[in-house]
Amino acid sequence: DTEVTQTPKHLVMGMTNKKSLKCEQHMGHRAMYWYKQKAKKPPELMFVYSYEKLSINESVPSRFSPECPNSSLLNLHLHALQPEDSALYLCASSREGGFATEAFFGQGTRLTVV
Amino acid sequence: AQSVTQLDSQVPVFEEAPVELRCNYSSSVSVYLFWYVQYPNQGLQLLLKYLSGSTLVKGINGFEAEFNKSQTSFHLRKPSVHISDTAEYFCAVSTRDMRFGAGTRLTVKP
């Protein structure tokens, strides 16, 4: 199994809603990542978890709250988002942190904030 | 800090023609280099990677890339492209974390 599974595939939420994005991998990887990708732009790193601990937060606004319940799961909790937060949110994992080996990406969640 | 520059934002090419997508990197330490492909509304798929060893790296779908330390380049090549190769291609560099170039849109025309 070399898949990273993200749910949901599409999400539309209002600015007062609370929602969560989910990511799961069963490759035994110990590093997991959230990226944000706007249209026609490269992915931008948001958070890195290494061995279930937050190791990198790229100055992401607090309305995005990551959580790593165990080594296979990664969540991104969303609250009070703005329309400019609409984007494709990508989850990735790698065997170890530091990306010395390849990262495997999920298909992404297309988020629209209305 | 490491970074990558993709020199072409768009590359149009006819089917069965060769193609080269250019990538230059900068880093003060040893780097690991990657090329990823992204089809519309999908995640990123790894094409190939350079970690160490041979400077010519072969990947999936007939792509290859050459690591050139003196020119700090990692250009992606394919000798004959197909319509299905139309996609966005990202060069990436990794040390502490992974950083992507701006991307190159490859459009293969019949």
Side-chain angles (χ1 to χ4, degrees), chain A:
Chain A
D1 183 3
T2 58
E3 280 194 357
V4 175
T5 303
Q6 290 187 242
T7 55
K9 287 186 171 27
H10 301 274
L11 178 63
V12 179
M13 61 184 291
M15 290 187 284
T16 58
N17 291 159
K18 286 185 180 181
K19 296 287 185 183
S20 297
L21 309 184
K22 297 185 183 301
C23 175
E24 188 169 6
Q25 57 87 13
H26 295 289
M27 294 178 278
H29 289 174
R30 302 315 301 267
M32 296 185 76
Y33 315 82
W34 281 115
Y35 281 85
K36 174 182 178 180
Q37 186 179 25
K38 301 284 279 184
K40 301 188 187 303
K41 296 290 186 183
E44 295 178 359
L45 185 65
M46 299 175 71
F47 302 104
V48 180
Y49 273 83
S50 181
Y51 290 87
E52 300 160 51
K53 294 193 185 305
L54 184 64
S55 60
I56 296 176
N57 176 342
E58 290 289 307
S59 302
V60 179
S62 60
R63 57 186 184 269
F64 295 91
S65 176
E67 178 197 20
C68 189
N70 60 55
S71 60
S72 298
L73 295 173
L74 185 66
N75 298 322
L76 186 62
H77 302 298
L78 314 173
H79 174 54
L81 295 193
Q82 303 297 310
E84 58 264 29
D85 296 321
S86 298
L88 181 67
Y89 288 84
L90 294 165
C91 175
S93 70
S94 65
R95 194 173 65 227
E96 299 284 346
F99 274 117
T101 58
E102 68 190 86
F104 291 80
F105 283 81
Q107 296 295 291
T109 294
R110 175 73 61 187
L111 174 67
T112 303
V113 181
V114 298

